[in-house]
Amino acid sequence: LELRDDLIVRLTERSTGEIVSAAAALCEVESLASQSLENFLPYHAVRADLFARTGRTDAALVAYRKALALEPSVAEARWLER
């Protein structure tokens, strides 16, 4: 079994905020910011969720809108719009 350490793996690890606090997870996710994630819907969805969980509603709305602009599937859009 090969272990990977790349942006997607790190994003996935931080997505729940359960390993560390939501605020700490958000800091780590923000540190992953790069051009390669700019058009990656899960990146913006994770950021939006973590912003919301840390009380940063305005930032969460911006991130949710960015995720929705990336043309998610119907199921993804429903989750993002909840």
Side-chain angles (χ1 to χ4, degrees), residues 9-68:
V9 170
R10 284 183 259 157
L11 177 63
T12 302
E13 290 173 344
R14 276 48 173 203
S15 65
T16 63
E18 292 175 8
I19 296 172
V20 294
S21 70
L26 180 58
C27 286
E28 291 187 38
V29 167
E30 290 291 277
S31 76
L32 300 175
S34 71
Q35 273 307 106
S36 62
L37 293 176
E38 186 58 31
N39 292 313
F40 187 58
L41 188 148
Y43 170 69
H44 296 287
V46 167
R47 290 177 64 243
D49 182 61
L50 292 171
F51 279 132
R53 290 169 51 193
T54 57
R56 296 177 61 189
T57 307
D58 291 342
L61 289 173
V62 170
Y64 279 125
R65 287 183 188 124
K66 175 63 178 177
L68 287 166

